[in-house]
Amino acid sequence: MKREEANKEIGGRKAEGQRSKRAEKRKGKRVGENSKIQNAQSPIPSPQSPLPLIPRGGPTFPNPQSPAPNLDDWLEIGKIVSPQGLSGELRVYPISDFPERFEVPGKRWLLRSDDTEPQPIELLTGRYISNKNLYVIKLAGVGNCDQAEALRGCTLMVPASARPQLGEDEYHVLDLIGLEVFMQVSGELVGTVVDIIPAGNDLLEVKLHESLAGDKKQKTVLIPFVEAIAPIVDLKSNRIEITPPPGLLEINN
């Protein structure tokens, strides 16, 4: 399942058979991570903007004259998908594996479709709906269904500087995108990582090198990002070494 392109951070890689969780993303590429926030109460850097006013009316619409948002310094943690009930609660699709982002009260940032910068807003409460993979949250200033409806499609964000530290053998998606993938035994160049796709295990989407792609319709392959198949991740050398089982990539023949 591919999402819109967004700057993302990746969580990590677990041993084979365990799920490697996805995590937060920024505009650009997706991110996944497994580590927990060490200190949920740690202060988050705050922009100088005041708390936003919540409109009373219906949904807002993008302004074609507005400049494109500059989101290099932000991480996307969730998307508001709909109101929940009549009291102003909101359903949020998470783009983060950190429950603290949605359950621990405190400052978050909201990006509307016609804004160029996220605006701070206060998270009051939040709870997880497991069978729907959604969070239901309550934001300060959102007190009824109309105000909640006005936020449909808005994005919840945090500063990139608030990105949690990762544990051993965990990686941010931004660190993995663009790495070259090699066969560990032969040293043959397989291709370049172009995306991370969440599944039972995170999958590296690799664009095949022209020597392997040739005239084939298949230009990319999916490689499970687990220790047994991708044992070497060398960020300094910009490379991943893989030991795929026969037939996995359909490139061994």
Side-chain angles (χ1 to χ4, degrees):
M1 178 178 61
K2 292 190 81 168
R3 295 202 172 86
E4 297 179 15
E5 293 217 340
N7 286 336
K8 339 160 215 184
E9 56 179 356
I10 187 173
R13 179 184 62 193
K14 287 288 188 180
E16 187 175 11
Q18 292 181 303
R19 182 168 183 173
S20 184
K21 297 181 181 179
R22 76 193 145 73
E24 299 160 354
K25 63 182 182 180
R26 306 187 269 167
K27 282 293 187 193
K29 286 286 179 188
R30 187 167 44 240
V31 190
E33 51 192 3
N34 294 313
S35 61
K36 298 290 185 179
I37 295 177
Q38 297 301 313
N39 180 6
Q41 302 303 322
S42 297
I44 296 175
S46 170
Q48 299 301 314
S49 352
L51 289 173
L53 296 176
I54 304 298
R56 295 178 179 275
T60 57
F61 297 93
N63 180 356
Q65 304 302 320
S66 299
N70 179 12
L71 301 178
D72 289 343
D73 296 329
W74 298 92
L75 294 175
E76 186 177 324
I77 62 171
K79 181 77 72 173
I80 296 175
V81 294
S82 68
Q84 167 79 11
L86 303 177
S87 63
E89 289 187 316
L90 298 153
R91 289 189 170 200
V92 175
Y93 175 73
I95 313 167
S96 172
D97 284 322
F98 294 94
E100 295 91 335
R101 297 299 199 194
F102 311 99
E103 297 177 349
V104 175
K107 187 175 291 185
R108 305 295 187 272
W109 283 262
L110 186 72
L111 181 67
R112 301 171 186 273
S113 58
D114 55 352
D115 284 347
T116 58
E117 289 290 337
Q119 299 298 313
I121 197 164
E122 196 75 13
L123 174 69
L124 301 179
T125 62
R127 63 186 186 276
Y128 184 59
I129 305 178
S130 58
N131 62 331
K132 296 183 181 296
N133 190 30
L134 292 170
Y135 284 90
V136 173
I137 66 170
K138 179 71 172 176
L139 298 177
V142 184
N144 58 53
C145 187
D146 288 341
Q147 291 175 337
E149 178 63 38
L151 300 183
R152 184 191 293 266
C154 293
T155 302
L156 286 174
M157 312 191 85
V158 295
S161 57
R163 187 168 63 177
Q165 292 185 350
L166 299 183
E168 184 180 356
D169 205 27
E170 295 181 337
Y171 306 90
H172 293 294
V173 165
L174 286 176
D175 295 333
L176 295 178
I177 299 299
L179 295 189
E180 292 185 322
V181 179
F182 295 86
M183 299 291 287
Q184 187 177 44
V185 175
S186 66
E188 182 180 16
L189 176 60
V190 177
T192 304
V193 178
V194 294
D195 205 352
I196 309 296
I197 299 176
N201 291 293
D202 283 336
L203 301 173
L204 302 174
E205 183 178 3
V206 177
K207 181 180 179 181
L208 291 172
H209 186 262
E210 58 184 14
S211 63
L212 295 176
D215 296 329
K216 298 177 183 177
K217 292 182 179 179
Q218 181 184 4
K219 300 297 183 181
T220 64
V221 293
L222 299 178
I223 302 172
F225 191 51
V226 294
E227 183 76 24
I229 296 176
I232 303 296
V233 179
D234 189 339
L235 299 181
K236 291 183 179 179
S237 299
N238 195 47
R239 65 187 286 135
I240 296 175
E241 297 180 11
I242 62 171
T243 57
L248 175 65
L249 307 181
E250 297 182 355
I251 61 173
N252 294 329
N253 295 329

